[in-house]
Structures are given as C-alpha cells and as structure tokens.
Amino acid sequence: MEVICFDMDNTLIHSDKCHIEAYNKAFVKNGINKLKSGKIKNALAGETHFQVIKKLFPHMKDKMVLKIRKDHNYFIIKETYKYAKKINGVAEALKNLKKKYVLSLISNCTKKEIFALLKWAGIDKDFFDSIVGIDDVAHGKPYPDEMIKTERLLHDNVNYMVGDSVYDILIGKRMGVITIGILTGNTSKNKLLKYRPDYILKSVKYLPKLIEKLSGE
C-alpha cells in the first residue's frame, strides 16, 4: 500500500489561534508583553517553535527561547488546544483515503501537542498508522528527520507529502516523494509555486480524487 504523509497545522486543522494564544501566555509568564495576533501569525510558516520565537525576538538568548518554547507547549496542552478546528472536509477525506492507503502524520509540534489538537479538532488519531512529532527526532522541518523516522516506523517508503508550508515541499523534494501543496495555511499559492510542488490543492478535501488519479484507480 502507498504511504501518504500529512502535515498537521493548517493542513488538517486550523490551529493558528491555539498557537497565538499559547505564545502570548508564555510571553506574559516570562515578563514579555503580548504581541499582536497578526505579528505572531505572520511568523507561523511551518518552522519549529524555537525558530518562530527567534523570528519574533532575533536577539533573545537561547536559554529564554527554550523556556518560552516549553511554556508554549504547556499552554497548548492545558488550555489553548480548545481553539483547534478541523478544516472542512478533512475528516471525510482521511476516512476515504484510509481504506486504500497508509496514512502518517508529521509535525513540528510535540507528540502531546499533536494528540491534544487532534482530539479537540475532532480528528481521530487512529486514522494514522504513524505519528511523529518534534520530540521524536533530532531536527524538525525543514530537515527530513520526521519523514525518515516515519519510514523506519512503517518499514516502508513514503510516496506522498501533503502540507501547507514550503518546508513540507522541501522535505518531500529531499526525500524524492510526490509533493502536494495545500492552500489552507498562511503560505500563498505564488510562494508555494516557487518551490515547485508537484501539485497544489485548495484543501485536503480534494486529495482523494487526486491520489486515486495518480494511483491509476
């Protein structure tokens, strides 16, 4: 069976508000004023939490960045997960694909964050034959560690990488799989096109038809 690898944030669920609230709670806890939602949202482009914080505060010392990242993780799991919402049509698409394909999920969130966000968004984690988070690997996206870990867990090669950010396209290219860009995130179609994904879809909702076409079914 072919393996489809999914990103989570803004590919399967709308999670920007979860992360924005968690970051601001973490900033306040560490004596930093809240940032405007738009500024944080602009920094959410598929990187690790460490990279996002560094983008917002370029001169912040790594020790403080790590502290804020830890607090962000806490607030996601304990409080702000409740803002997660599944993207329209995603659950139906996953249910359809699960009948014929092996589904996997990779994310720069921790495993506990992934489980909390999926649960609140109403997406059954059992759709996925493997789930790999940032805490399972040495490096998150844009490094391919998460996909490499996925292939080891499944004892099989990934065939498709599906995600909303340029980092999802980059790791797919590096691993030699078919890349499918999704337009439900914060990356514009024009920016995705610069990284030459094999296909671009408005939403995961339309993925089953494309995959069936590519598989010749």
Side-chain angles (χ1 to χ4, degrees):
M1 295 176 72
E2 292 186 310
V3 178
I4 306 172
C5 190
F6 291 90
D7 168 59
M8 180 183 68
D9 288 322
N10 291 327
T11 297
L12 302 179
I13 64 175
H14 291 300
S15 56
D16 280 354
K17 189 171 183 179
C18 303
H19 292 295
I20 290 168
E21 292 292 324
Y23 277 126
N24 270 329
K25 285 177 178 289
F27 295 152
V28 170
K29 183 179 178 182
N30 288 278
I32 300 170
N33 292 332
K34 288 184 177 181
L35 297 181
K36 290 184 178 180
S37 297
K39 185 172 184 178
I40 299 176
K41 184 174 181 177
N42 288 337
L44 299 176
E47 298 102 329
T48 64
H49 295 315
F50 187 94
Q51 291 167 323
V52 171
I53 298 165
K54 270 292 192 181
K55 188 187 293 186
L56 294 170
F57 300 98
H59 304 296
M60 183 178 286
K61 293 183 178 179
D62 287 357
K63 184 176 181 180
M64 177 59 79
V65 174
L66 292 171
K67 177 67 167 60
I68 291 173
R69 185 183 70 175
K70 182 178 179 181
D71 290 335
H72 167 276
N73 179 69
Y74 171 84
F75 287 119
I76 283 282
I77 295 167
K78 297 295 184 180
E79 296 182 26
T80 68
Y81 63 87
K82 63 186 178 182
Y83 296 113
K85 295 181 179 180
K86 63 185 172 186
I87 293 171
N88 183 45
V90 161
E92 294 80 2
L94 293 174
K95 185 177 180 179
N96 188 329
L97 291 166
K98 181 68 174 174
K99 297 173 184 177
K100 299 179 181 178
Y101 304 94
V102 174
L103 308 185
S104 62
L105 186 151
I106 62 176
S107 174
N108 279 341
C109 288
T110 65
K111 193 74 75 62
K112 286 185 177 180
E113 286 177 311
I114 292 169
F115 289 153
L117 292 170
L118 287 177
K119 182 178 180 179
W120 192 260
I123 296 177
D124 190 344
K125 64 181 175 58
D126 290 336
F127 276 132
F128 305 101
D129 297 275
S130 73
I131 295 177
V132 176
I134 187 69
D135 47 344
D136 294 313
V137 295
H139 304 96
K141 304 172 196 176
Y143 293 92
D145 297 30
E146 292 168 356
M147 190 178 288
I148 293 171
K149 176 76 171 182
T150 295
E151 293 189 336
R152 289 175 179 168
L153 289 171
L154 296 175
H155 303 289
D156 203 353
N157 294 325
V158 171
N159 301 97
Y160 305 94
M161 179 64 217
V162 182
D164 70 294
S165 79
V166 298
Y167 299 109
D168 299 313
I169 307 305
L170 284 172
I171 64 170
K173 294 286 186 184
R174 288 172 181 172
M175 294 294 288
V177 310
I178 294 172
T179 53
I180 303 172
I182 303 295
L183 298 178
T184 47
N186 298 319
T187 306
S188 68
K189 183 177 181 179
N190 286 337
K191 187 170 183 179
L192 280 177
L193 283 171
K194 291 179 181 179
Y195 292 82
R196 300 182 179 180
D198 295 294
Y199 301 92
I200 292 181
L201 295 175
K202 290 183 179 180
S203 169
V204 167
K205 176 181 179 179
Y206 304 103
L207 187 62
K209 286 185 178 180
L210 174 62
I211 296 292
E212 288 183 11
K213 181 179 177 180
L214 295 177
S215 300
E217 297 180 3

